[in-house]
Amino acid sequence: MINNNTSNYDILISDFDEHYFKVDFPGQFDKKMLDAVRAVPGRIWNSELKIWMLPLEFVENGKSSTTALLENLYATGLYNFSKDESGNTKKVLPHVPYQKSISKMKDMLQVRHYSKRTIECYLRWVKEFLEKYGRNGTDGLGQKQINEFLTTLAVKYKVSPSTQNQALAGLLFYFRFVKGKNPIELESVIRAKKKPRIPVVFSRAEVRRVIEYMPVEKRLCAEMIYGTGMRLNELIELRILDVDFDRSEIIIRHGKGDKDRRVMLPQSLIPKIKSQIENVKKLHEKDLADGWGAVPLPGALAGKYPGAEKDLKWQWLFPQKNRWKNPNTGEEGRWHMDGTLLQRAVKSAVLKAGINKNSSCHTFRHSFATHLLENGYDIRTVQELLGHNDVKTTQIYTHVLNRGPSGVISPLDNM
């Protein structure tokens, strides 16, 4: 917490996930505070949680995002930061009494082989909970505080039932396995009832229009999501070795639920994907010439295959434009494309195409499944391609039965 003893202009800075930290304004608000956050490049507004997210690894002119934020806040005149001997603003770090519990929970999730994204989500919700209720200790926490927290999510932040249940799952894991509380004591916690929703779907003509309005450098991404049905994070985490041209398939590794699966490789995209790989090769050769070119490898592969992190086959299929730099070590690397950039591009393309639908990158996935069913493919095939555990999840796409000349005919049309 950063505060000023003479005002209520408090700013709460805390961890979010391994790529971002979050900034919140719990007290009195001044527009200068908002401008200070907005002036940090790479910041993202999370509309669901009502918080600002700032990248941990962003570096500009040798400054990290945290340093840039603190300097911006100092310039507002609302705070009295102390300076070190070099004249740099000292970082104000709050005491976190529950940090050991968070570390223990992370270890337990990893031992049980939870997916990376599930671990990030669970830890984020538990941190949110403990920041609110656990600053004076966690011994007295239980069902009452869980219900209050979930109610706040639903009433104040208006999160979806799935998000609320995700938060509950993370909290239950914490209480059952980290705190060792009897699960029976937690059976009366609030569980949100998920309501069936019809997915937003593009028509084939709308898909073509949206892709036409996509920026050239991101058009292939949209085509691959629609052409394979993969999720956004599955697309941006593809590596070159995941594309098998001989078998005409793409291998999706560590998808939702940490599952691998295969999807078809659209034949019309083969020349474009090969061209993209050539572009990545040139970029990778430049990185190697500059003394860098290593990418993080999954699991323990870095130890198993020394030097593999610089092989072309392990490079991201869609790398980020600029190399990031570690301000502490000076090491430079290249991560995959930021998914938010693709989301914004799709939103813009939808507007330019004149489509009045609440759509996103995920709409391409919905359209993929719907159009396959319209073409006569059986639901089990679509289930496998989408990576659903239960066919009931895939059944939301059976709304196609009410569409087209082969759909259900209204009795009014037969009068």
Side-chain angles (χ1 to χ4, degrees), residues 123-179:
L123 292 179
R124 184 171 77 243
W125 288 120
V126 171
K127 286 177 184 177
E128 289 271 354
F129 176 81
L130 294 179
E131 281 175 8
K132 185 172 183 179
Y133 297 102
R135 290 196 168 273
N136 296 321
T138 62
D139 291 339
L141 301 182
Q143 177 184 314
K144 178 182 177 182
Q145 289 76 21
I146 294 176
N147 284 340
E148 287 180 1
F149 181 72
L150 296 176
T151 300
T152 300
L153 290 180
V155 176
K156 182 178 179 180
Y157 297 111
K158 302 185 186 303
V159 302
S160 66
S162 59
T163 300
Q164 186 177 335
N165 286 331
Q166 181 192 73
L168 173 60
L171 293 175
L172 290 181
F173 185 97
Y174 170 77
F175 277 95
R176 287 171 172 165
F177 299 108
V178 179
K179 296 290 292 180

Side-chain angles (χ1 to χ4, degrees), residues 129-382:
F129 176 81
L130 294 179
E131 281 175 8
K132 185 172 183 179
Y133 297 102
R135 290 196 168 273
N136 296 321
T138 62
D139 291 339
L141 301 182
Q143 177 184 314
K144 178 182 177 182
Q145 289 76 21
I146 294 176
N147 284 340
E148 287 180 1
F149 181 72
L150 296 176
T151 300
T152 300
L153 290 180
V155 176
K156 182 178 179 180
Y157 297 111
K158 302 185 186 303
V159 302
S160 66
S162 59
T163 300
Q164 186 177 335
N165 286 331
Q166 181 192 73
L168 173 60
L171 293 175
L172 290 181
F173 185 97
Y174 170 77
F175 277 95
R176 287 171 172 165
F177 299 108
V178 179
K179 296 290 292 180
K181 285 217 171 189
N182 188 340
I184 297 177
E185 298 175 2
L186 303 173
E187 285 302 313
S188 298
V189 295
I190 298 172
R191 298 177 186 272
K193 183 178 180 181
K194 295 184 68 175
K195 298 177 177 60
R197 294 285 184 260
I198 296 176
V200 178
V201 176
F202 291 135
S203 68
R204 289 171 173 79
E206 287 173 335
V207 170
R208 285 193 293 270
R209 294 212 308 274
V210 173
I211 290 177
E212 286 173 1
Y213 281 105
M214 287 288 294
V216 175
E217 69 277 7
K218 294 182 176 64
R219 190 171 298 166
L220 177 60
C221 296
E223 291 176 322
M224 288 186 66
I225 294 178
Y226 173 66
T228 64
M230 67 179 75
R231 301 175 178 91
L232 171 59
N233 65 293
E234 293 170 345
L235 171 82
I236 61 177
E237 293 176 6
L238 284 178
R239 299 176 189 260
I240 290 177
L241 57 76
D242 296 329
V243 182
D244 190 333
F245 292 106
D246 290 335
R247 294 179 58 86
S248 292
E249 65 183 20
I250 297 174
I251 302 174
I252 297 175
R253 307 179 194 275
H254 305 287
K256 190 173 182 179
D258 200 22
K259 296 177 297 184
D260 294 355
R261 73 179 190 278
R262 291 182 173 88
V263 296
M264 77 285 282
L265 173 60
Q267 297 301 297
S268 60
L269 295 183
I270 289 179
K272 295 181 181 180
I273 295 176
K274 287 185 176 180
S275 177
Q276 174 66 14
I277 293 175
E278 282 300 314
N279 292 335
V280 174
K281 181 180 179 181
K282 293 177 183 178
L283 190 65
H284 180 53
E285 289 174 349
K286 182 180 183 304
D287 287 345
L288 290 174
D290 292 340
W292 311 110
V295 294
L297 299 183
L301 290 180
K304 188 175 182 180
Y305 304 112
E309 66 273 9
K310 291 190 176 183
D311 290 347
L312 176 63
K313 64 182 179 182
W314 285 106
Q315 303 303 306
W316 307 110
L317 183 60
F318 297 104
Q320 63 183 178
K321 185 177 180 181
N322 300 312
R323 290 198 302 259
W324 57 263
K325 183 177 181 180
N326 187 318
N328 298 320
T329 65
E331 184 181 9
E332 294 186 28
R334 200 178 294 274
W335 197 246
H336 56 65
M337 176 196 295
D338 189 334
T340 59
L341 299 179
L342 187 55
Q343 287 279 27
R344 293 172 192 168
V346 170
K347 288 283 188 183
S348 177
V350 169
L351 289 174
K352 291 178 181 177
I355 298 173
N356 297 316
K357 293 181 178 179
N358 186 25
S359 49
S360 64
C361 287
H362 209 69
T363 307
F364 285 120
R365 177 175 160 89
H366 291 323
S367 304
F368 164 84
T370 300
H371 296 165
L372 282 182
L373 289 174
E374 286 179 340
N375 289 340
Y377 288 93
D378 66 274
I379 197 167
R380 291 288 185 181
T381 299
V382 177

Side-chain angles (χ1 to χ4, degrees), residues 70 81-85 88-92:
L70 291 175
F81 291 99
S82 58
K83 299 275 187 173
D84 59 21
E85 296 179 355
N88 297 320
T89 304
K90 288 184 179 180
K91 295 181 180 180
V92 182

Side-chain angles (χ1 to χ4, degrees), residues 19-201:
H19 301 302
Y20 292 92
F21 65 93
K22 64 180 181 180
V23 179
D24 196 7
F25 308 126
Q28 187 176 336
F29 179 77
D30 189 287
K31 186 176 181 298
K32 293 179 182 178
M33 300 156 61
L34 181 60
D35 292 338
V37 176
R38 284 176 170 169
V40 179
R43 79 285 182 275
I44 299 173
W45 170 248
N46 188 318
S47 58
E48 186 173 33
L49 298 178
K50 304 295 189 296
I51 57 171
W52 285 97
M53 297 160 48
L54 277 68
L56 287 169
E57 298 175 337
F58 178 81
V59 176
E60 184 181 56
N61 299 325
K63 298 177 183 177
S64 65
S65 293
T66 50
T67 300
L69 174 63
L70 291 175
E71 290 184 352
N72 293 344
L73 293 172
Y74 178 76
T76 65
L78 299 173
Y79 305 92
N80 294 317
F81 291 99
S82 58
K83 299 275 187 173
D84 59 21
E85 296 179 355
S86 303
N88 297 320
T89 304
K90 288 184 179 180
K91 295 181 180 180
V92 182
L93 299 176
H95 173 61
V96 184
Y98 47 81
Q99 189 60 52
K100 289 185 178 179
S101 295
I102 296 294
S103 299
K104 181 180 179 181
M105 180 174 173
K106 183 177 181 180
D107 292 341
M108 297 179 77
L109 287 166
Q110 290 176 337
V111 166
R112 287 166 172 78
H113 295 282
Y114 278 68
S115 71
K116 179 181 175 182
R117 292 182 65 83
T118 300
I119 293 174
E120 290 176 357
C121 290
Y122 280 16
L123 292 179
R124 184 171 77 243
W125 288 120
V126 171
K127 286 177 184 177
E128 289 271 354
F129 176 81
L130 294 179
E131 281 175 8
K132 185 172 183 179
Y133 297 102
R135 290 196 168 273
N136 296 321
T138 62
D139 291 339
L141 301 182
Q143 177 184 314
K144 178 182 177 182
Q145 289 76 21
I146 294 176
N147 284 340
E148 287 180 1
F149 181 72
L150 296 176
T151 300
T152 300
L153 290 180
V155 176
K156 182 178 179 180
Y157 297 111
K158 302 185 186 303
V159 302
S160 66
S162 59
T163 300
Q164 186 177 335
N165 286 331
Q166 181 192 73
L168 173 60
L171 293 175
L172 290 181
F173 185 97
Y174 170 77
F175 277 95
R176 287 171 172 165
F177 299 108
V178 179
K179 296 290 292 180
K181 285 217 171 189
N182 188 340
I184 297 177
E185 298 175 2
L186 303 173
E187 285 302 313
S188 298
V189 295
I190 298 172
R191 298 177 186 272
K193 183 178 180 181
K194 295 184 68 175
K195 298 177 177 60
R197 294 285 184 260
I198 296 176
V200 178
V201 176

Side-chain angles (χ1 to χ4, degrees), residues 372-402:
L372 282 182
L373 289 174
E374 286 179 340
N375 289 340
Y377 288 93
D378 66 274
I379 197 167
R380 291 288 185 181
T381 299
V382 177
Q383 175 193 356
E384 185 175 346
L385 290 172
L386 293 176
H388 289 160
N389 278 332
D390 195 332
V391 72
K392 291 181 180 179
T393 307
T394 317
Q395 284 176 346
I396 63 171
Y397 300 109
T398 56
H399 65 92
V400 299
L401 297 177
N402 298 323

